Amino acid sequence: QDLLDVERVEVLKGPQGTLYGANTLSGLISYTLREPQLDRISAIARAELAGTQGGGTSYSARAALSVPIVTDRIGLRVSGYRDVKGGFIDNGIRGIPNQNRSKYRGVSASLLVRPTERLKIMVSGFLQDSDIVQDVAIYDPATHRPRDGDLRYDDYLYPLYDKTVRVLLGSADYEFDFATLTAITSFQRNNSDTRQNATNGQIGALSRVRQHFRSLKLVHHDVEPAGCRLLHRVLQVAQRV
């Protein structure tokens, strides 16, 4: 997730199993997404440009827009970004300058609904895609120096890494006089493709990961988070390589 959509980041010292489950014995890093604004339109945009000595140009652009659909009740936030990292390794055989150029892009959207002052419902989703050519060189085992010279990779096959992440998240909070009841459900799917040069051919690995998470917790207003009661938690992971 791009930091343009992050409201805050919290580093919590473990154990945090009471609130977040058994996998957080040593602690966790938690980030909270920015919510759509319900009372006004807001927008932000940022662009950056950089150069690499002896290499290509890097640039990035990102923007976000928040719009109230029904004032004080329903709001929508959308955002997107694109990052390009200029390469610096040339491939003479294939005629590709700055071969290790990498690209990152993503889009996200959040819908916030407040039917009453006590109830808040939020649905968020984002898609991220990465195309990375790795910064590697082929070394000569006899001289222990780059085979093709500094900052060169002269071969038809070169290492690649592609990854796509899709996430859908839904949450609902209800404020009682004495506590807050929170229900969360999420689904995540990661697809990755890794390819390496094996001298006489190219080898690769495909990975498909799916995660489904659900939780229901009741937090009393007069106690610390460590005193929260975790009512229900299910984590399902299916991985196929």
Side-chain angles (χ1 to χ4, degrees):
Q1 185 75 3
D2 186 70
L3 290 179
L4 200 67
D5 292 316
V6 175
E7 177 71 29
R8 65 180 183 274
V9 177
E10 299 171 288
V11 180
L12 305 179
K13 183 179 179 181
Q16 293 286 336
T18 303
L19 185 58
Y20 295 101
N23 293 329
T24 58
L25 182 63
S26 59
L28 78 153
I29 299 176
S30 172
Y31 67 91
T32 302
L33 299 179
R34 291 185 183 274
E35 295 183 351
Q37 295 189 0
L38 301 180
D39 57 350
R40 64 184 183 274
I41 297 176
S42 64
I44 184 173
R46 186 171 71 240
E48 299 176 359
L49 182 67
T52 303
Q53 184 176 0
T57 302
S58 302
Y59 66 88
S60 68
R62 50 204 6 96
L65 174 66
S66 180
V67 179
I69 300 175
V70 178
T71 303
D72 296 331
R73 294 302 179 192
I74 303 176
L76 176 67
R77 178 184 173 89
V78 294
S79 66
Y81 73 94
R82 177 180 174 85
D83 288 337
V84 174
K85 307 297 183 183
F88 50 85
I89 297 177
D90 298 332
N91 190 324
I93 290 182
R94 301 192 62 170
I96 304 176
N98 307 320
Q99 172 181 267
N100 59 320
R101 184 172 182 258
S102 300
K103 295 179 288 186
Y104 310 84
R105 50 195 174 271
V107 293
S108 67
S110 298
L111 180 68
L112 176 62
V113 181
R114 276 191 173 274
T116 69
E117 292 300 320
R118 291 179 177 265
L119 178 61
K120 180 179 71 173
I121 301 171
M122 184 166 168
V123 179
S124 303
F126 62 85
L127 169 66
Q128 294 177 320
D129 187 60
S130 305
D131 298 322
I132 303 171
V133 179
Q134 299 177 18
D135 303 332
V136 297
I138 299 177
Y139 278 78
D140 188 329
T143 63
H144 300 288
R145 297 182 61 84
R147 183 195 66 183
D148 305 315
D150 291 338
L151 303 181
R152 294 190 66 86
Y153 187 99
D154 293 337
D155 209 318
Y156 281 103
L157 304 177
Y158 52 90
L160 301 172
Y161 177 71
D162 300 331
K163 184 177 182 180
T164 301
V165 178
R166 301 178 181 89
V167 175
L168 182 64
L169 171 68
S171 64
D173 297 277
Y174 189 85
E175 293 284 346
F176 294 99
D177 292 334
F178 63 93
T180 301
L181 180 65
T182 300
I184 300 174
T185 184
S186 67
F187 176 78
Q188 179 174 333
R189 181 175 179 178
N190 300 339
N191 296 340
S192 63
D193 179 8
T194 304
R195 283 165 280 177
Q196 300 290 338
N197 188 345
T199 305
N200 294 322
Q202 195 168 48
I203 60 174
L206 296 175
S207 176
R208 304 290 184 265
V209 178
R210 295 179 178 87
Q211 293 181 321
H212 184 209
F213 169 83
R214 294 194 303 267
S215 74
L216 182 65
K217 61 186 178 183
L218 184 66
V219 182
H220 198 281
H221 292 162
D222 296 330
V223 299
E224 295 296 325
C228 297
R229 180 185 178 191
L230 188 64
L231 303 179
H232 182 57
R233 177 187 173 96
V234 177
L235 175 63
Q236 298 172 332
V237 179
Q239 182 170 354
R240 175 169 58 89
V241 179

